[in-house]
Amino acid sequence: MATFSSVPDLFAHAEPSRVKLGHGAVLLRGFARDKAEQLLEAIENAIAVAPFRNFVTPGGHTMSVAMSNCGSAGWVADRRGYRYDPLDPSTQMPWPAMPDVFTDVARRAAAEAGFDGFAPDACLINRYDPGARLTLHQDRNERNFGAPIVSVSLGLPAKFLFGGLTRTDKVLRLVLEHGDVVAWGGPSRLAFHGVDVLKDGVHPATGRCRINLTFREAL
Ligand code: SIN
Ligand code: FE2
């Protein structure tokens, strides 16, 4: 993967702001923008140890999103199912430790969204190349549904889909940009969500991809 560059964020425009998406669900626009460079540096270090890979789902489908993890456990998929695993199946080594800047951004964003005391032990690192997408799903492999999911977007913009508690509920479509954070918990914890096919482009901070971090209390 191309090395992330440290040129200023030419895409930055609006001041940080918050948008309510539902009960317990909030978009914090620009919340992580001032930490983006540090986050990307930490991501590079993590993926040097646990490289991005495309999991194969139990149904035999190779996911278009490339994934890695850091923290005490990582989200993995294989022919047997979906789970959190303390070891990276590619290397049989523990996942890289959660970088302090990850924990700091995730905790502060959760608090800003109304979830005090968030203590993520797992971070899924997603890389979307042009054409990649994530179909509507719920995050339900975590042990503690009392804690929110906190999602940080970096690089190319993507259309995020945020629905309700059933697959057929109406879906909000929001463009997430570099530095945006979405948190969903409480009554929205099991909301269906996904990401539309990533449009091609080049972002000054990441190049030709979008990176997303999702923080969870998994264990
Ligand atoms: C996810 O649902 O794991 C990722 C969401 C995103 O990429 O915005
Ligand atoms: Fe998810």
PDB file of all heavy atoms in Angstrom, residues 124 126 128 134 137 151 160 193 195 210 212 214 216, ligand 1:
ATOM      1  N   LEU A 124     -11.259  -2.568  14.430  1.00  0.00           N
ATOM      2  CA  LEU A 124     -11.214  -3.108  13.070  1.00  0.00           C
ATOM      3  C   LEU A 124     -10.729  -1.995  12.143  1.00  0.00           C
ATOM      4  O   LEU A 124     -11.251  -0.871  12.199  1.00  0.00           O
ATOM      5  CB  LEU A 124     -12.613  -3.589  12.665  1.00  0.00           C
ATOM      6  CG  LEU A 124     -12.802  -4.061  11.228  1.00  0.00           C
ATOM      7  CD1 LEU A 124     -11.951  -5.308  10.934  1.00  0.00           C
ATOM      8  CD2 LEU A 124     -14.286  -4.360  10.963  1.00  0.00           C
ATOM      9  N   ASN A 126     -10.420  -0.953   8.360  1.00  0.00           N
ATOM     10  CA  ASN A 126     -10.934  -1.289   7.024  1.00  0.00           C
ATOM     11  C   ASN A 126     -10.277  -0.419   5.969  1.00  0.00           C
ATOM     12  O   ASN A 126     -10.174   0.794   6.160  1.00  0.00           O
ATOM     13  CB  ASN A 126     -12.443  -1.008   6.946  1.00  0.00           C
ATOM     14  CG  ASN A 126     -13.281  -1.971   7.764  1.00  0.00           C
ATOM     15  OD1 ASN A 126     -12.938  -3.143   7.892  1.00  0.00           O
ATOM     16  ND2 ASN A 126     -14.374  -1.478   8.315  1.00  0.00           N
ATOM     17  N   TYR A 128     -10.896   0.620   2.049  1.00  0.00           N
ATOM     18  CA  TYR A 128     -11.761   0.567   0.881  1.00  0.00           C
ATOM     19  C   TYR A 128     -10.982   1.110  -0.302  1.00  0.00           C
ATOM     20  O   TYR A 128     -10.615   2.282  -0.320  1.00  0.00           O
ATOM     21  CB  TYR A 128     -13.003   1.440   1.082  1.00  0.00           C
ATOM     22  CG  TYR A 128     -13.909   1.019   2.201  1.00  0.00           C
ATOM     23  CD1 TYR A 128     -13.563   1.263   3.535  1.00  0.00           C
ATOM     24  CD2 TYR A 128     -15.124   0.402   1.944  1.00  0.00           C
ATOM     25  CE1 TYR A 128     -14.406   0.883   4.569  1.00  0.00           C
ATOM     26  CE2 TYR A 128     -15.978   0.026   2.980  1.00  0.00           C
ATOM     27  CZ  TYR A 128     -15.612   0.266   4.279  1.00  0.00           C
ATOM     28  OH  TYR A 128     -16.441  -0.099   5.316  1.00  0.00           O
ATOM     29  N   LEU A 134     -19.418  -2.321   1.586  1.00  0.00           N
ATOM     30  CA  LEU A 134     -19.769  -3.180   2.716  1.00  0.00           C
ATOM     31  C   LEU A 134     -21.287  -3.198   2.773  1.00  0.00           C
ATOM     32  O   LEU A 134     -21.920  -2.157   2.979  1.00  0.00           O
ATOM     33  CB  LEU A 134     -19.166  -2.589   3.992  1.00  0.00           C
ATOM     34  CG  LEU A 134     -19.041  -3.488   5.211  1.00  0.00           C
ATOM     35  CD1 LEU A 134     -18.209  -4.732   4.904  1.00  0.00           C
ATOM     36  CD2 LEU A 134     -18.405  -2.714   6.361  1.00  0.00           C
ATOM     37  N   HIS A 137     -25.337  -4.449   7.385  1.00  0.00           N
ATOM     38  CA  HIS A 137     -25.138  -5.490   8.401  1.00  0.00           C
ATOM     39  C   HIS A 137     -25.299  -4.872   9.788  1.00  0.00           C
ATOM     40  O   HIS A 137     -25.303  -3.650   9.926  1.00  0.00           O
ATOM     41  CB  HIS A 137     -23.732  -6.104   8.277  1.00  0.00           C
ATOM     42  CG  HIS A 137     -22.655  -5.112   8.574  1.00  0.00           C
ATOM     43  ND1 HIS A 137     -22.205  -4.190   7.650  1.00  0.00           N
ATOM     44  CD2 HIS A 137     -21.963  -4.840   9.712  1.00  0.00           C
ATOM     45  CE1 HIS A 137     -21.290  -3.417   8.197  1.00  0.00           C
ATOM     46  NE2 HIS A 137     -21.119  -3.791   9.462  1.00  0.00           N
ATOM     47  N   SER A 151     -16.843   4.955  14.929  1.00  0.00           N
ATOM     48  CA  SER A 151     -16.271   4.757  13.593  1.00  0.00           C
ATOM     49  C   SER A 151     -15.593   6.039  13.113  1.00  0.00           C
ATOM     50  O   SER A 151     -16.207   7.105  13.120  1.00  0.00           O
ATOM     51  CB  SER A 151     -17.428   4.350  12.673  1.00  0.00           C
ATOM     52  OG  SER A 151     -17.180   4.725  11.347  1.00  0.00           O
ATOM     53  N   PHE A 160     -22.110   6.547   3.451  1.00  0.00           N
ATOM     54  CA  PHE A 160     -22.409   5.655   4.577  1.00  0.00           C
ATOM     55  C   PHE A 160     -23.916   5.452   4.629  1.00  0.00           C
ATOM     56  O   PHE A 160     -24.683   6.402   4.471  1.00  0.00           O
ATOM     57  CB  PHE A 160     -21.898   6.321   5.863  1.00  0.00           C
ATOM     58  CG  PHE A 160     -22.072   5.515   7.115  1.00  0.00           C
ATOM     59  CD1 PHE A 160     -21.427   4.288   7.278  1.00  0.00           C
ATOM     60  CD2 PHE A 160     -22.854   5.996   8.166  1.00  0.00           C
ATOM     61  CE1 PHE A 160     -21.568   3.553   8.461  1.00  0.00           C
ATOM     62  CE2 PHE A 160     -22.996   5.281   9.351  1.00  0.00           C
ATOM     63  CZ  PHE A 160     -22.350   4.050   9.495  1.00  0.00           C
ATOM     64  N   HIS A 193     -26.104  -0.994   9.095  1.00  0.00           N
ATOM     65  CA  HIS A 193     -25.295   0.044   8.465  1.00  0.00           C
ATOM     66  C   HIS A 193     -24.412  -0.600   7.395  1.00  0.00           C
ATOM     67  O   HIS A 193     -24.221  -1.825   7.397  1.00  0.00           O
ATOM     68  CB  HIS A 193     -24.439   0.772   9.515  1.00  0.00           C
ATOM     69  CG  HIS A 193     -23.515  -0.152  10.254  1.00  0.00           C
ATOM     70  ND1 HIS A 193     -23.937  -0.947  11.293  1.00  0.00           N
ATOM     71  CD2 HIS A 193     -22.199  -0.434  10.081  1.00  0.00           C
ATOM     72  CE1 HIS A 193     -22.920  -1.675  11.730  1.00  0.00           C
ATOM     73  NE2 HIS A 193     -21.852  -1.380  11.011  1.00  0.00           N
ATOM     74  N   VAL A 195     -21.632   0.555   3.699  1.00  0.00           N
ATOM     75  CA  VAL A 195     -20.927   1.566   2.917  1.00  0.00           C
ATOM     76  C   VAL A 195     -21.136   1.265   1.441  1.00  0.00           C
ATOM     77  O   VAL A 195     -20.908   0.131   0.990  1.00  0.00           O
ATOM     78  CB  VAL A 195     -19.416   1.576   3.267  1.00  0.00           C
ATOM     79  CG1 VAL A 195     -18.663   2.581   2.396  1.00  0.00           C
ATOM     80  CG2 VAL A 195     -19.209   1.901   4.746  1.00  0.00           C
ATOM     81  N   ARG A 210     -10.027   4.804   1.045  1.00  0.00           N
ATOM     82  CA  ARG A 210     -10.619   5.277   2.298  1.00  0.00           C
ATOM     83  C   ARG A 210     -10.210   4.294   3.381  1.00  0.00           C
ATOM     84  O   ARG A 210     -10.194   3.083   3.140  1.00  0.00           O
ATOM     85  CB  ARG A 210     -12.132   5.299   2.200  1.00  0.00           C
ATOM     86  CG  ARG A 210     -12.836   5.475   3.539  1.00  0.00           C
ATOM     87  CD  ARG A 210     -14.352   5.519   3.360  1.00  0.00           C
ATOM     88  NE  ARG A 210     -15.022   5.852   4.588  1.00  0.00           N
ATOM     89  CZ  ARG A 210     -15.696   4.984   5.362  1.00  0.00           C
ATOM     90  NH1 ARG A 210     -15.787   3.717   4.993  1.00  0.00           N
ATOM     91  NH2 ARG A 210     -16.270   5.385   6.464  1.00  0.00           N
ATOM     92  N   ASN A 212     -11.150   3.224   7.350  1.00  0.00           N
ATOM     93  CA  ASN A 212     -12.118   3.404   8.431  1.00  0.00           C
ATOM     94  C   ASN A 212     -11.665   2.581   9.632  1.00  0.00           C
ATOM     95  O   ASN A 212     -11.223   1.441   9.495  1.00  0.00           O
ATOM     96  CB  ASN A 212     -13.509   2.944   7.964  1.00  0.00           C
ATOM     97  CG  ASN A 212     -14.510   2.943   9.098  1.00  0.00           C
ATOM     98  OD1 ASN A 212     -14.759   1.908   9.713  1.00  0.00           O
ATOM     99  ND2 ASN A 212     -15.058   4.092   9.405  1.00  0.00           N
ATOM    100  N   THR A 214     -13.137   1.125  13.208  1.00  0.00           N
ATOM    101  CA  THR A 214     -14.307   0.986  14.092  1.00  0.00           C
ATOM    102  C   THR A 214     -13.855   0.384  15.405  1.00  0.00           C
ATOM    103  O   THR A 214     -13.238  -0.674  15.450  1.00  0.00           O
ATOM    104  CB  THR A 214     -15.462   0.151  13.505  1.00  0.00           C
ATOM    105  OG1 THR A 214     -14.967  -0.987  12.879  1.00  0.00           O
ATOM    106  CG2 THR A 214     -16.315   0.958  12.559  1.00  0.00           C
ATOM    107  N   ARG A 216     -14.604  -1.017  19.217  1.00  0.00           N
ATOM    108  CA  ARG A 216     -15.624  -1.829  19.888  1.00  0.00           C
ATOM    109  C   ARG A 216     -15.163  -2.276  21.265  1.00  0.00           C
ATOM    110  O   ARG A 216     -13.966  -2.452  21.489  1.00  0.00           O
ATOM    111  CB  ARG A 216     -15.866  -3.111  19.070  1.00  0.00           C
ATOM    112  CG  ARG A 216     -16.354  -2.919  17.653  1.00  0.00           C
ATOM    113  CD  ARG A 216     -15.296  -3.217  16.603  1.00  0.00           C
ATOM    114  NE  ARG A 216     -15.709  -2.797  15.254  1.00  0.00           N
ATOM    115  CZ  ARG A 216     -16.498  -3.510  14.469  1.00  0.00           C
ATOM    116  NH1 ARG A 216     -16.918  -4.674  14.871  1.00  0.00           N
ATOM    117  NH2 ARG A 216     -16.841  -3.061  13.286  1.00  0.00           N
TER     118      ARG A 216
HETATM  119  C1  SIN B   1     -18.048  -1.213   9.522  1.00  0.00           C
HETATM  120  O1  SIN B   1     -19.257  -1.324   9.559  1.00  0.00           O
HETATM  121  O2  SIN B   1     -17.297  -2.062  10.031  1.00  0.00           O
HETATM  122  C2  SIN B   1     -17.366  -0.072   8.830  1.00  0.00           C
HETATM  123  C3  SIN B   1     -18.203   1.112   8.543  1.00  0.00           C
HETATM  124  C4  SIN B   1     -17.464   2.126   7.725  1.00  0.00           C
HETATM  125  O3  SIN B   1     -16.520   1.769   6.995  1.00  0.00           O
HETATM  126  O4  SIN B   1     -17.823   3.317   7.761  1.00  0.00           O
END
